[in-house]
């Protein structure tokens, strides 16, 4: 797949940007920070209405049969405008897991709802600090799950979850309906991620993969989500770089625009570099879905996107001086999002290890 | 047991005894106003027990001891999360400056005693919206008004102004001379007519800083703490106190021990994170940096005790420590994985990594931004040329806004 | 086997066959002059085998293939350490610019053929001692002289000038207009009377760069490759070629695979260094950075092939890659411990870490320093204001030296 | 011990600076880079003449009975002026090993010569990449050494070496006379360090310590040397910071001194910070000789000094632009020295581990 976007792809980028810029307002996002378990309903309604939920799913189940490249373009725009809910990524991941590893019955049951956005999907792989634990904390036995999946993004609202659980013969990738499952909302610095601990207690679940295949499948799903998230991070970093640039051109100190001071202008130029490296890695990774080196490409995209967004958040706030740390100006929305996206799908530490294992031939 | 060890043991015992009344559990769920009230009672108890103004003169209510005793007490005190944050600025800068520069000694004594007992709080009115970090570019003005002065203008980023009884303020008294020459230093009554305080909500969700508006606020000339036009020097003295006394190699974030503890607790690739080279590297480098700052501070205090002037390297503390704290806090969040999302807007940046992280940017901006500090080091210590300054040497009222 | 795979296999086989004659072992112990002579024979062999000018037009002696074939050949070629370094600049920038801007096409063809066969070498005369990295501030001047021109002045940092037959040069033809408007672009015969080349010994011990003095050097107007006063645009085109063709995400240092190999070989705390988080982190971050640069370059070439103009992000390569190479090289030296001290002044920066390290600073300065590149990105791409420039808009001959 | 220098200490700093600034010339040091196994004889003669070799050794054996603080002050000045030989540090380390772990006879044999500088000492602990190997490459058996000690600083000229060797019952700290030992000069980027592989073949040697005590002793000696080297590194970094400052004040570009550009001035200000942190850690570490936390303090000094010197070398050259990379200007003398000192006494990687083991309580 080429890394040059065709006209259709460019149209997706343009249109999603237009829609999101018209509809997303920091004034609506700020209050959500102080409310646990709430998300920006307007964003999610837009995602459903625009068909973004269906974008990368198969036509046979209500999808539009496009791929990671197109979803990445949406995610980039969502990142620019501070997407109001995590379900686009987690729903995609859940749907892909069911599409790739599920039975026809499971696909028929879940994919149409995930494609329309009427069902919300979540991914619950992590245990403790580990995004892909060798010994998951949730146990799978006799078709039932027991244990707690911690801080699941979208967990407050999700209808279905894909889990990495511990079965008798090693890890089990499982799918579970969440109706009736207790959710303990996690108070977070970015509450509209709708994080919840999911408390499974004899919850019925179906096995998708077992043993080494389960772990491989989980890593593949995580990598798919990481590429989507990397696009979102890159979009956020790009927006911050532009905000910093615009501020540096207009704000004056000591009788001249602050952008004339090299400490400011070079920092923004460095951000430009980080954003472009992340963008290039994202575009490349999205185009490598299905290829042998997909995990490597995903890891590179993820690492550079996390660095870009965290750095842009630090620097953009710093460049703004005092006004940058006020609640009202809302730069902290990006700062918080940079951190929540840095944790979701596994931190930099995790992806560094995944990448080096491959470069050093240790994953074989 | 040395005198110092005995002192520290006494401090530890007293702090221990205060926990039921003032510790974290006692503070849980309180509104800011309730917590402040509790804080005032704590400060009074501290005064009564002989732990307030430890290194201040006894005739002003202090204990007449050394900086080392103060440090020892604070090391014990910080373990318990007592409600002392409201008095940090007050007793840190404005009140010491009042002790140094206040002319009416009776008035000074009365204020110092009330401040030490938590009855009164002082704030420091320096930064302005248009000035950014440019102290010499202040626009708030005082004009002569009968025997006194009339203040008009706006200050910003004033910590605890909403709870303050008094403040120290730098204002422009002569706009016709070059920028840093037209400033004068006063104290003001924060409850005086014409003073309006408006809290600013910060990125982390709290509102301890304020905008303060002055609208024809009248003060007597006895409020003046510097020669007319000589306010810049006193303001610099205030910042000097900040540099050498209110330093913290942890950058006002968590102690490195807490990071080491976290790294021992959390697992990375199935092993304690403390065994991972990336984590070790950050611990080692942060330790080396903080140890260097600590040594600089110890040396500066030894020099001051020996009657010498410490070197300018004390100015490194805030620059280096807060910037590093920001990245270390991010790493601490990463390390916790799913556990890293948790957040409590009322947690303390001194022992909570998420709180430390979200408040770090304020630390890198307030009281001189990183960039201002680098410029100051480059220009004043190293003699490098100033940046291009179109406003330099121009009378203040001729600089375009 | 695809066409490209077949091409690559052919290239690999040919390179393999050249090793006895031109490989590292054959070069060992040669003086620079002997090595250059060997290099000329290698370049001729390369031309004869159809591997020179791979993506250049066939009517000028090239192979008429694509950039991808060129890359494939170079990937094979670089494995063997052939003596091709003398032709890198020549065939990289000046000769392509001659192909693009030379007006006498017969002359152009003759020169290109000789350059491709290693018979002639071209250099690029841009930097000047007073100019630093400020291309528009050049002082070397050409005055009209009969039908031609007379050049006086000094260039510096000119790679391989001492072995060059020709050079391309930017000079000031009108000192009375603003800085970047008075420049004109010529080619010169490096053996002409009045041209003096003086090699500069660099920090690493070698002398491939030179000072070049021009003392009343007379050239015809047919040497002119730009409109009079239009030299800046051609110089920029040269730098554009450098940006998009002569890029290397390894920063002209060793490939990351060599670092991975080292990390597998060397032990740290009794285990292979590749297992240490610090080492892993550097590998991962350098990989991500280089992969990003590679993707940018691939995309730029795809766009150029599709007739589109690539984005400005191509300008990141040198800035990001060389700076990182410097630190990675230091780490590679650290990793080797006692083995890290070893040094061979004639080793290649592309496969030897100490050589890469000691030559990295030159890479961060030559052809636009890091700081110049950051300014260029900030000003031209992002629209940020220029630095304060007391010299801006002033006629060149009125700027104080 | 206080970290405020007394008058005697200040006099040592002033006098050594005066002497070295008068006698050390980069024009004499540059040619040594291209000669293997040669050192700056004038420097070494000065060190002997000034009594620096005797400084920290006991009076009973010809020393001046001063300590690490005073030797550090000399090393700082030697670092500023690019010390022309490594023997001040390695001789001190060898003498301390004999003083602390040797017999009276060994002290009587070696200390007077080391104190006068007539004998040159070397430390040979490293094996492969490890500065303090658990399994040293040189074997000790029946009072004889066999094997190769790689790249020993001063090894070309040394008369006596302290080795960490492998005995039958674990590591052995040994002392060996080097007369008759083959030295294979190592071609290095900083040749006046006089590096040589020492080839032991049945070389007589005496045991100083064995087993865990040998390793502890070796670490202590390495830490003592690391503190001396850290002072030298700090001196080098300080000199580079001043060179960069002076250049930035005088050199003009675009019509103004380059020091007015924030990219230059902030970088020099950052160097100032690195130098002062390193200096503070050095002074502290020197004052902690003999204390429980000496290794910790030494590690902190070493880490900050290595960072300061490497950074100053990178930045000072960069600030100079083209002229900075010429052979003649000689900034590469510092750049090379920064790297050779970064390797001698163990790299940053080694000291990070030593430090963290202590902070985490893992060394117990």
């Amino acid at each position: 797949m080429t890394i040059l976007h065709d006209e259709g792809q460019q149209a997706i980028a343009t249109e999603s940007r237009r829609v999101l810029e018209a509809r997303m307002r920091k004034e609506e996002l700020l209050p959500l920070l102080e409310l646990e378990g709430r998300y920006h309903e307007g964003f999610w309604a837009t995602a459903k209405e625009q068909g973004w939920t269906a974008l990368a799913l198969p036509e046979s189940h209500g999808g539009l049969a496009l791929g990671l490249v197109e979803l990445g373009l949406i995610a980039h725009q969502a990142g620019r405008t501070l997407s109001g809910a995590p379900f686009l990524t987690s729903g995609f991941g859940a749907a892909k897991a069911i599409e790739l590893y599920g039975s026809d019955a499971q696909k028929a049951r879940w994919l149409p709802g995930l494609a329309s956005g009427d069902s919300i999907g979540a991914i619950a792989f992590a245990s403790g600090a580990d995004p892909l634990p060798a010994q998951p904390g949730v146990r799978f036995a006799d078709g039932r799950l027991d244990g707690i999946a911690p801080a699941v993004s979208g967990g407050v609202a999700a209808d279905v979850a894909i889990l990495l659980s511990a079965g008798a013969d090693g890890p089990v990738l499982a799918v579970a309906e969440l109706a009736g499952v207790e959710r303990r909302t996690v108070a977070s610095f970015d509450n509209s991620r709708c994080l919840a601990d999911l408390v499974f207690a004899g919850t019925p679940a179906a096995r998708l993969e077992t043993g080494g295949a389960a772990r491989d499948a989980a890593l593949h799903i995580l990598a798919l989500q990481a590429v989507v998230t990397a696009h979102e991070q890159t979009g956020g970093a790009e927006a911050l770089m532009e905000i910093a640039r615009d501020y540096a051109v207009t704000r004056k100190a000591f009788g001249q625009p602050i952008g004339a001071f090299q400490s400011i202008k070079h920092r923004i130029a460095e951000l430009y570099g980080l954003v472009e490296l992340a963008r290039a890695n994202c575009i490349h990774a999205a185009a490598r879905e299905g290829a042998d080196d997909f995990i490597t490409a995903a890891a590179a995209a993820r690492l550079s996107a996390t660095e870009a967004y965290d750095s842009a958040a630090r620097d953009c706030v710093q460049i703004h001086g005092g006004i940058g740390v006020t609640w009202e100006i809302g730069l902290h929305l990006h700062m918080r999002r940079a951190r929540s996206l840095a944790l979701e799908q596994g931190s930099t530490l995790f992806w560094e290890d995944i990448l080096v294992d491959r470069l050093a031939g240790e994953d074989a | 047991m040395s005198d110092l060890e005995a002192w520290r043991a006494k401090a530890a015992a007293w702090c221990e005894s205060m926990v039921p009344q003032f510790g974290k559990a006692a503070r849980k769920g309180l509104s800011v106003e309730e917590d402040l009230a509790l804080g005032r009672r704590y400060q009074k108890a501290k005064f009564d027990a002989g732990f307030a103004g430890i290194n201040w003169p006894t005739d002003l209510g202090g204990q007449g001891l050394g900086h080392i005793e103060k440090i020892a007490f604070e090391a014990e005190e910080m373990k318990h999360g007592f409600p002392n944050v409201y008095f940090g600025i007050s007793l840190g800068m404005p009140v010491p400056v009042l002790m140094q520069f206040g002319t009416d000694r009776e008035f000074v004594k009365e204020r110092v005693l009330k401040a030490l007992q938590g009855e009164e709080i002082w704030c420091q009115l320096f930064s302005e919206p248009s000035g950014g970090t440019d102290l010499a570019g202040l626009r708030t003005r005082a004009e002569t008004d009968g025997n006194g002065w009339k203040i008009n203008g706006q200050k910003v980023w004033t910590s605890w102004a909403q709870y303050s009884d008094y403040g120290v303020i730098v204002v422009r008294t002569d706009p016709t001379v070059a920028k840093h020459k037209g400033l004068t230093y006063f104290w003001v009554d924060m409850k005086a007519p014409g003073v309006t305080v408006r809290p600013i909500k910060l990125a982390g969700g709290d509102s301890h800083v304020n905008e303060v508006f002055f609208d024809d606020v009248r003060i007597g000339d006895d409020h003046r703490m510097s020669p007319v036009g000589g306010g810049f020097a006193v303001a610099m003295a205030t910042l000097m106190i900040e540099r050498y006394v209110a330093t913290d190699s942890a950058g006002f974030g968590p102690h490195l021990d807490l990071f080491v503890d976290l790294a021992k607790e959390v697992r990375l690739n199935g092993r304690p994170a403390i065994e991972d080279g990336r984590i070790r590297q950050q611990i080692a480098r942060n330790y080396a940096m903080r140890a260097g700052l600590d040594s600089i501070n110890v040396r500066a205090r030894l020099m001051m005790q020996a009657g010498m002037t410490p070197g300018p390297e004390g100015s490194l503390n805030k620059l280096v420590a807060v910037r590093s704290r920001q990245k270390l806090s991010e790493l601490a969040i990463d390390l916790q994985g799913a556990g890293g999302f948790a957040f409590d807007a009322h947690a303390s940046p001194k022992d909570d990594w998420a709180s430390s992280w979200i408040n770090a940017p304020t630390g890198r901006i307030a009281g001189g931004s990183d960039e201002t500090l680098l410029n100051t080091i480059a220009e004043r210590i190293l003699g490098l040329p100033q940046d291009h300054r179109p406003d330099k040497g121009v009378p203040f009222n001729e600089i375009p806004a």
Side-chain angles (χ1 to χ4, degrees), chain A, chain B:
Chain A
M1 182 174 281
T2 175
I3 56 172
L4 285 190
H5 293 148
D6 62 26
E7 283 179 21
Q9 290 164 334
Q10 288 172 35
I12 288 173
T14 312
E15 177 63 9
S16 58
R17 178 165 183 163
R18 190 189 64 73
V19 169
L20 286 170
E21 286 185 350
R23 299 190 190 177
M24 297 300 288
R25 290 273 164 275
K26 77 174 177 205
E27 290 71 20
E28 293 174 16
L29 294 169
L30 280 169
L32 293 173
L33 290 178
E34 297 182 304
L35 297 172
E36 289 168 24
R38 293 278 301 278
Y39 59 91
H40 189 277
E41 289 166 18
F43 171 79
W44 188 234
T46 299
K48 294 201 279 187
E49 164 205 313
Q50 297 285 317
W52 298 339
T53 49
L55 206 68
L57 302 193
E59 270 179 308
S60 49
H61 294 95
L64 297 172
L66 295 169
L68 203 46
V69 173
E70 290 80 6
L71 186 60
L73 292 170
I74 305 283
H76 181 91
Q77 300 305 333
R80 283 184 62 91
T81 50
L82 287 156
S83 147
F87 317 135
L88 208 56
T89 307
S90 65
F92 165 71
K96 284 302 270 192
I98 293 165
E99 181 194 341
L100 293 172
Y101 312 112
S103 65
D104 286 347
Q106 284 161 338
K107 291 181 204 175
R109 177 172 175 198
W110 290 112
L111 294 187
L114 289 166
S116 69
D118 293 332
S119 297
I120 289 175
I123 295 292
F125 293 167
S127 269
D130 197 336
L132 202 68
Q135 278 136 12
V138 175
R139 294 172 308 286
F140 181 94
D142 305 325
R144 292 184 180 274
L145 295 170
D146 284 279
I148 298 179
V152 174
S153 289
V156 169
D159 301 295
V160 54
I162 310 297
L163 288 104
L164 191 61
S165 56
D169 308 316
V172 173
L173 189 75
V175 54
E177 182 168 359
L178 295 180
V181 169
E182 183 194 348
R183 296 109 196 275
R184 296 181 187 154
T185 305
V186 174
S188 153
F189 48 77
D190 192 11
N191 275 329
S192 59
R193 303 310 285 176
C194 294
L195 296 154
D197 294 342
L198 303 183
V199 186
F200 296 96
T203 310
R207 186 189 303 256
L208 297 173
E209 292 281 357
T210 307
R215 196 188 146 82
D216 290 349
L219 177 59
H220 184 68
I221 296 300
L222 205 58
L224 285 171
Q225 295 206 125
V227 173
V228 178
T229 300
H231 279 85
E232 194 172 339
Q233 292 171 299
T234 305
E238 180 187 73
L240 285 170
M241 190 267 288
E242 292 173 7
I243 291 168
R245 191 261 321 269
D246 294 347
Y247 188 74
V249 168
T250 50
R251 165 80 177 178
K252 291 194 171 189
F254 306 109
Q256 61 188 322
I258 62 170
F261 292 104
Q262 286 186 337
S263 66
I264 307 286
K265 74 192 275 195
H266 286 188
R267 200 176 305 190
I268 300 173
E270 297 278 11
L271 289 184
Y272 171 80
L274 292 175
V275 168
E276 292 306 324
L277 290 175
R279 187 202 313 279
N281 278 329
C282 281
I283 293 172
H284 176 71
R288 302 302 295 169
E289 185 185 354
D292 283 351
D293 61 355
F294 175 62
I295 300 288
T296 304
R302 173 71 173 151
L303 289 173
S304 50
T306 298
E307 186 185 0
Y309 204 9
D310 270 337
S311 302
R314 256 181 252 120
D315 290 350
C316 183
V317 170
Q318 183 69 19
I319 285 166
H320 277 71
I323 194 78
V325 294
T326 59
W327 181 269
E328 293 307 325
I329 200 171
L331 291 179
H332 60 103
L333 283 163
H334 273 297
M335 189 179 136
R336 293 162 185 260
R337 183 58 50 81
R339 283 279 81 211
S340 57
L341 294 186
L343 286 180
E344 289 181 14
Q345 335 307 347
S347 76
T348 286
L349 297 163
F350 172 79
W351 286 103
E352 283 172 354
D353 284 328
I354 291 285
L355 177 55
V356 176
D357 283 349
R358 270 146 195 83
L359 296 178
E362 288 168 20
D363 62 314
Chain B
M1 196 187 275
S2 72
D3 286 359
L4 185 63
E5 283 164 357
W7 163 263
R8 182 151 182 163
K10 186 182 139 197
W14 181 79
C15 287
E16 230 21 279
S17 76
M18 291 295 114
V19 169
Q21 214 178 334
F22 301 114
K24 277 184 197 168
R27 295 175 67 190
K28 205 172 159 70
L30 296 186
S31 69
V32 178
E33 283 68 21
E34 292 164 339
D35 194 52
L36 171 59
L38 188 73
R40 290 187 192 272
R41 291 199 297 278
Y42 170 71
Q43 186 64 31
K44 179 69 165 69
K46 196 164 149 181
F47 179 83
D48 291 343
F51 292 117
I54 290 170
N55 59 340
W56 291 8
T58 50
D59 62 341
L60 291 173
Q63 302 298 322
L65 298 171
H67 192 85
I68 199 160
E69 283 83 2
K70 176 167 183 274
I71 296 279
F73 175 80
E74 286 172 355
E76 292 302 324
E77 187 188 33
M78 72 182 287
K79 294 177 183 168
H80 306 289
F82 295 134
N84 56 4
V85 63
Y86 311 102
F87 313 102
I89 300 270
S90 176
L91 300 176
M93 276 83 73
V95 176
V97 165
L98 181 74
M99 292 196 292
Q100 195 179 343
F101 294 97
T103 44
D104 178 347
R105 300 312 288 178
E106 266 316 298
F107 174 79
V108 167
K109 184 171 178 180
E110 200 179 318
R111 295 284 76 68
V112 172
L113 278 169
K114 295 230 176 197
L116 276 179
Q117 296 177 73
E119 279 181 59
E120 292 176 357
I121 296 175
W122 285 66
C123 61
Q124 174 168 302
L125 298 142
F126 277 22
S127 297
E128 296 190 4
S130 69
T133 48
D134 178 16
L135 191 59
L138 300 180
R139 289 165 184 281
T140 298
R141 63 192 187 282
E143 296 155 305
T144 50
D145 179 59
N147 292 331
W149 302 82
K150 191 176 68 184
I151 302 178
N152 277 287
Q154 182 191 351
K155 295 286 177 176
V156 75
W157 311 119
T158 313
S159 291
W160 310 118
Q162 70 267 60
Y163 308 119
S164 287
D165 301 280
Y166 298 96
V168 291
I169 187 167
V170 193
V171 296
R172 186 164 302 282
T173 45
D174 186 352
T176 67
V177 295
K179 293 173 63 166
H180 67 282
K181 293 186 178 157
L183 303 174
T184 305
Y185 199 105
F186 295 94
W187 64 265
V188 291
D189 180 347
M190 293 296 287
K191 310 298 180 198
V195 177
T196 310
V197 176
R198 192 184 297 162
I200 300 172
K201 188 169 179 179
L202 288 180
D206 70 9
S207 306
H208 75 273
V209 300
N210 302 269
E211 293 179 290
V212 183
F213 299 88
F214 292 86
D215 186 14
D216 280 345
V217 176
R218 288 183 168 73
I219 56 171
D221 192 50
D222 57 343
H223 285 40
R224 187 159 53 77
M225 294 167 70
S226 79
V228 175
F232 190 76
V234 180
M236 280 293 135
T238 316
L239 296 176
M240 201 57 98
I241 293 176
E242 198 164 342
R243 175 179 303 172
Y244 283 112
V245 179
T247 54
D248 173 7
S249 69
F252 311 98
H255 196 279
L256 194 59
D257 289 349
L258 294 181
F259 191 88
V260 172
D261 291 344
L262 174 66
K264 286 174 159 179
E265 229 172 84
V266 166
R267 296 181 80 79
L268 196 55
N269 291 321
R271 287 159 53 168
I274 189 85
E275 295 179 17
D276 188 283
R278 292 165 291 194
I279 307 306
R280 297 170 76 78
Q281 181 164 58
Q282 291 313 311
I283 292 172
R285 298 201 173 181
N286 275 279
Y287 179 85
M289 181 270 288
R290 293 177 180 203
L293 293 174
D294 288 339
S295 289
I296 285 173
N297 291 335
V298 168
R299 194 172 49 179
R301 286 196 298 267
L302 287 173
M303 291 186 80
M304 288 192 284
Q305 282 168 20
M308 295 183 274
T309 307
E313 61 276 8
S315 58
L316 291 168
N317 192 97
K318 189 176 106 67
L319 171 67
V320 173
V322 183
R323 199 167 54 178
S324 312
R325 161 194 151 194
Q326 183 175 33
K327 288 202 180 183
L328 191 68
S329 302
E330 288 178 10
L331 181 60
I333 291 172
D334 275 347
L335 253 189
Q336 297 171 70
F341 289 108
F343 186 68
D344 171 3
H346 302 295
S348 162
K350 306 265 302 177
D351 59 19
D352 179 89
W353 291 105
S355 174
S356 169
W357 155 72
I358 209 160
N359 288 298
T362 307
R364 287 183 60 192
I365 288 160
S369 69
D370 290 2
E371 293 72 24
T372 305
L373 297 174
L374 285 168
N375 263 0
T376 304
I377 290 169
E379 294 170 15
R380 303 222 185 128
I381 304 179
L382 303 176
L384 284 159
Q386 278 208 326
D387 297 337
H388 170 58
R389 293 273 297 262
D391 59 347
K392 210 190 152 192
V394 178
F396 190 78
N397 56 1
E398 292 173 21
I399 299 170

